Amino acid sequence: MIVNTPKKLWGGRFQLGTDRAVERYTSSVEFDQRLYRYDIEGSIVHCRMLAKQGILQPEEADKLVETLGQIRQEIDRGDFSFDSKLEDVHMNIEARLIDLLGPLGQKVHTARSRNDQIALDFRMYLRDASDRCVELLRDLRRALTAQAREQLDVILPGYTHMQRAQPVLLAHHLLAYVEMFGRDEERLKDCRKRINVFPLGSAALSGTPFDLDRLYAAETLEFDEVSRNSMDAVSDRDFVAEFLFDLSMIMVHVSRLSEELILWCTKEFDFVEMSDAHTTGSSIMPQKKNPDVAELARGKTGRVFGALVAVLTLLKGLPLTYNRDMQEDKEPTFDALDTVSSTLAVVTRVIQGLKFKRESMFEATGRGFLTATDLADYLVRKDMPFRRAHQTVGQMVQYAIEQGRELHELDLSEMKEFSKLIEDDVYDVLDVRRSLETRRVLGGTATERVADELGRIEETLKQPEEEES
């Protein structure tokens, strides 16, 4: 049996109310109600602008603005009951306005459509969301930088292909993630420019015949630009996809960091210990201390990727202009934002609580031929072509493996069997600390370079975000 509900605010041409099953299926208020502050703020400025243009009387605008503020307080207090029969956050607020003001409340929607109204609300929401994410990223960068400062003298193996490669400073390793999350900040700031475009006044798709002052409304709501094409303005969700891409890249970097912490916590590496406050135990194995936060952060990355793919898929086949499909951009975006925000906050706490095992890290540099490249460079400085030096040192490594020793454990006479160019000074070249300190190139892992970079980053992170260049 089809059960119909009463007519909607838009139901003038309809003879039947909406089927309740359709009503439930099409309602978005369960999730878009989180936009209520932005919806009300946009409506308040819209009313002020209508009065400024003589479309509303000043006293009408004053009453509408006052009542919209009252509705906002009701929602803030939890006294407002959102009704799925009213479809979305916009209609719920407008219906309440009409309840309180009667026919005057019906004037609030003059010269606008829900198409440009939701575009405005979503842009305002994501504008604030991008700012919050930037602050969370800065907190994480500060935590990583503080650990880098504290561990400035700690040496560990750097890896390629998950094989020990060359010695590096732990601080240098941590600052690599500071760089990654710094790029994430910059992407969000750049995305914000494209978010911060004012769409209201585009109406349903073709603009409005009313004489609106869009520049006034945009400036009042702190938008940097006004949309230039009404059809694009109501159908554009590029800014949503771009925002979700930025969130996805954040999670890529979080996941890489998490993966390393998971590895480093194992007894096989034994490089770091997470705080008891940030780990969990096993229901059956009493000895276990599991890095569940890092594992969940790694796992939740796919969830954020899914939101990006969902929105890209949503948009790819839509003709101009607005289509109801676009209602489906909210839930994945809200979920991705909630996931990234909570992940950044908790991973920051994990970083702050880490205890690095410097002895284990340095001990690991003594095995794996980490200074083999230094030996090749040593021969190059004695005028041996690099490719020949590479082959010579490779043969020496194979010999050492067969002997069960490292390069620095070979006798000089053994080394000379491979090249007469090798002298007593070779043992200095094979020293891990010396190897590290020779990497003085800009961006290298030598202590003086890392210290300089650390100081630069610390100064940058002391500055208010808006003052950064």
Side-chain angles (χ1 to χ4, degrees), residues 90-101:
H90 323 295
M91 301 305 284
N92 269 265
I93 291 171
E94 185 175 340
R96 178 59 176 156
L97 194 64
I98 293 169
D99 285 344
L100 293 171
L101 295 180

Side-chain angles (χ1 to χ4, degrees), residues 324-343:
R324 191 64 178 269
D325 312 49
M326 295 167 76
Q327 175 176 300
E328 291 298 304
D329 63 356
K330 311 296 180 305
E331 280 186 285
T333 302
F334 294 155
D335 183 77
L337 177 60
D338 292 345
T339 299
V340 172
S341 298
S342 60
T343 298

Side-chain angles (χ1 to χ4, degrees), residues 27 92 110 145 163 166 183 260 279 311 327 347 386 423 436 464:
S27 175
N92 269 265
T110 303
T145 302
Q163 306 291 315
Q166 293 178 328
R183 292 194 296 273
E260 292 207 307
T279 50
V311 169
Q327 175 176 300
V347 169
F386 177 77
E423 303 293 343
L436 183 146

Side-chain angles (χ1 to χ4, degrees), residues 193-206:
K193 299 174 187 176
R194 284 172 288 283
I195 291 172
N196 206 30
V197 178
F198 184 72
L200 202 62
S202 301
L205 76 158
S206 61

Side-chain angles (χ1 to χ4, degrees), residues 397-454:
V397 168
Q398 181 58 38
Y399 173 79
I401 290 172
E402 293 169 355
Q403 298 296 312
R405 290 183 285 171
E406 291 287 317
L407 287 174
H408 65 273
E409 294 172 333
L410 299 178
D411 295 334
L412 181 60
S413 60
E414 293 176 286
M415 294 189 193
K416 280 185 169 291
E417 292 295 321
F418 294 92
S419 175
K420 300 301 182 183
L421 297 175
I422 298 175
E423 303 293 343
D424 287 342
D425 59 353
V426 72
Y427 293 103
D428 292 334
V429 171
L430 297 176
D431 179 76
V432 167
R433 293 186 184 276
R434 182 189 178 281
S435 168
L436 183 146
E437 296 300 348
T438 61
R439 266 61 181 177
R440 297 189 184 91
V441 65
L442 183 64
T445 192
T447 302
E448 64 179 292
R449 285 299 189 187
V450 176
D452 288 345
E453 186 63 16
L454 185 55

Side-chain angles (χ1 to χ4, degrees), residues 79-284:
D79 295 337
F80 188 97
S81 179
F82 285 97
D83 186 351
S84 63
K85 297 184 183 67
L86 294 170
E87 298 182 14
D88 55 37
V89 63
H90 323 295
M91 301 305 284
N92 269 265
I93 291 171
E94 185 175 340
R96 178 59 176 156
L97 194 64
I98 293 169
D99 285 344
L100 293 171
L101 295 180
L104 175 58
Q106 296 175 335
K107 293 188 175 184
V108 72
H109 207 55
T110 303
R112 72 176 182 184
S113 163
R114 278 189 295 176
N115 295 357
D116 60 351
Q117 187 178 0
I118 186 55
L120 174 67
D121 293 358
F122 208 16
R123 286 178 180 276
M124 292 172 69
Y125 176 85
L126 290 185
R127 183 174 66 182
D128 283 355
S130 65
D131 292 343
R132 289 196 303 274
C133 285
V134 165
E135 281 306 310
L136 288 167
L137 284 166
R138 290 176 70 80
D139 288 343
L140 179 53
R141 293 177 72 207
R142 289 185 184 103
L144 287 163
T145 302
Q147 283 283 18
R149 171 60 69 186
E150 188 173 342
Q151 315 295 336
L152 184 56
D153 62 334
V154 178
I155 303 174
L156 77 160
Y159 290 78
T160 63
H161 308 277
M162 279 305 296
Q163 306 291 315
R164 293 178 188 176
Q166 293 178 328
V168 296
L169 286 179
L170 174 58
H172 195 53
H173 193 119
L174 294 175
L175 291 182
Y177 285 102
V178 175
E179 290 293 315
M180 294 182 209
F181 293 123
R183 292 194 296 273
D184 292 331
E185 278 191 37
E186 292 304 314
R187 267 187 287 270
L188 282 170
K189 293 175 192 173
D190 198 52
C191 177
R192 193 187 193 280
K193 299 174 187 176
R194 284 172 288 283
I195 291 172
N196 206 30
V197 178
F198 184 72
L200 202 62
S202 301
L205 76 158
S206 61
T208 175
F210 290 91
D211 181 24
L212 305 185
D213 189 342
R214 298 187 67 210
L215 294 176
Y216 163 82
E219 183 178 352
T220 304
L221 288 170
E222 298 183 348
F223 279 85
D224 296 327
E225 296 184 34
V226 174
S227 61
R228 311 300 294 189
N229 183 291
S230 60
M231 297 180 73
D232 178 56
V234 298
S235 62
D236 171 31
R237 294 297 184 272
D238 294 4
F239 65 97
V240 179
E242 183 178 355
F243 181 72
L244 288 172
F245 172 81
D246 293 348
L247 295 190
S248 296
M249 282 307 304
I250 290 171
M251 291 302 289
V252 167
H253 297 147
V254 168
S255 187
R256 296 184 72 180
L257 174 59
S258 297
E259 172 68 10
E260 292 207 307
L261 292 178
I262 291 164
L263 290 171
W264 287 4
C265 281
T266 64
K267 287 300 179 185
E268 287 73 17
F269 277 80
D270 202 28
F271 285 177
V272 71
E273 182 178 2
M274 288 188 187
S275 168
D276 288 356
H278 305 141
T279 50
T280 64
S282 165
S283 64
I284 188 172

